[in-house]
Amino acid sequence: MLKKLELTQEWDKVFPKSDKVNHEKITFHNRYGITLAADLYEPKEYKGKLPAIAICGPFGAVKEQSSGLYAQKLAERGFLTIAFDPSFTGESSGQPRYMASPDINTEDFQAAVDYLVTNEKVDADRVGILGICGWGGMALNAASIDTRIKATVTATMYNMSRVGANGYFDEGDNADARHELRVALNTQRTKDYESGTYVRAGGVVDPLPDDAPQFVKDYHTYYKTERGYHERSLNSNDGWNVTGTMSFINQPILEYSDEIRSAVLIIHGIEAHSCYFSKDEFKKLTGDNKELLLIPGAVHIDLYDNLEVIPFDKIEEFYNQYL
């Protein structure tokens, strides 16, 4: 039996509510029997069936943060949008909490597409997706599987399986480093089972060390301050089950991204520490309906919530062209 969710009804986003859109809380389910919670946004005035976009990310964030901001802004521009919490996260169900899976989280995007193509307000032939940060990789992975997805946007994308296996900047891309990582994680699994609790990691460091890398300082600015903090966000708190993401090491996503025939727009800040992910993934794509947009001077979190940097005009133009 699918779990019935008790969703928060008051407005608890990190961004102000728009008076140009209608908003409601919805749920849908994936093929693993997990009930997903989402915010649906739609223009206040429209005619006929709408093009629709499912949005998720960043990795460890919730729909009250960046994905909801994107969803609301795109609804203002004429799209029906949903920003959803992935499995095990936020208001969505799934036990144990704070887990992640390349398979299940790709399925989350496909389940969102299931919801949209069967929604009476939506034109089923005009459905796209948008993934932010770690969910940019999941979105591109879903696009390589699901032919119902006509257009995909990724913003400041990470390939989570690559960073899981190789470390940041591929600094651990060798068999010895991966073996040491596996030993450490499996040693921790034993301790977790003995204690009956899961060690969590991946949350933003707090207090922030003076010598922290700039991108860690950027994350702290977003997730630990009023700008982006949310009580349900794993990144604002203690992070993921540290041994619960081991499968990313041996299950690379984006294996067949070169076979995506639908349209793709990859957006990244030139100054973002993870820009190499987007550049490398774009090189693999084929066809004249693929585009890479690098934004001068933009750091990683600028594409989370900086309305002066996020190229909504370009995103709108892209979706209008291909949806």
Side-chain angles (χ1 to χ4, degrees), residues 18 25 41 48 63 93 100 119 138 149 181 207 214 284 302:
S18 170
K25 302 292 280 282
Y41 301 86
K63 63 189 181 305
S93 69
N119 188 308
M138 298 297 182
I149 298 169
L181 175 62
Q214 184 58 47
K284 294 164 57 179
D302 279 335

Side-chain angles (χ1 to χ4, degrees), residues 70 130-133 136 153-158 265-268 303:
Y70 274 75
L130 191 156
I132 306 161
C133 196
V153 172
T154 71
T156 198
M157 179 183 68
Y158 269 72
L265 170 62
I266 293 178
I267 305 169
H268 219 108
L303 287 169

Side-chain angles (χ1 to χ4, degrees), residues 30-90:
N30 68 20
R31 295 298 177 93
Y32 291 93
I34 296 172
T35 303
L36 303 176
D39 287 294
L40 184 150
Y41 301 86
E42 66 181 22
K44 282 199 170 178
E45 296 182 9
Y46 65 90
K47 295 180 180 179
K49 292 181 179 291
L50 291 168
I53 305 164
I55 305 171
C56 194
F59 195 85
V62 288
K63 63 189 181 305
E64 288 75 22
Q65 297 169 299
S66 181
S67 61
L69 175 65
Y70 274 75
Q72 182 170 260
K73 286 297 180 183
L74 288 171
E76 289 179 346
R77 293 167 178 258
F79 302 92
L80 184 147
T81 62
I82 58 172
F84 65 91
D85 286 332
S87 297
F88 314 110
T89 307

Side-chain angles (χ1 to χ4, degrees), residues 140 152-155 157 260 262-268 278-279 281-295 311 313-319 321-322:
L140 205 58
T152 301
V153 172
T154 71
M157 179 183 68
I260 298 174
S262 57
V264 175
L265 170 62
I266 293 178
I267 305 169
H268 219 108
S278 287
K279 289 180 177 178
E281 294 307 325
F282 179 74
K283 291 176 184 177
K284 294 164 57 179
L285 300 177
T286 59
D288 58 6
N289 58 351
K290 312 298 191 294
E291 185 173 351
L292 173 65
L293 176 62
L294 298 179
I295 301 176
D313 287 345
K314 176 61 182 179
I315 295 171
E316 178 186 3
E317 176 187 350
F318 172 78
Y319 280 128
Q321 180 178 357
Y322 292 108

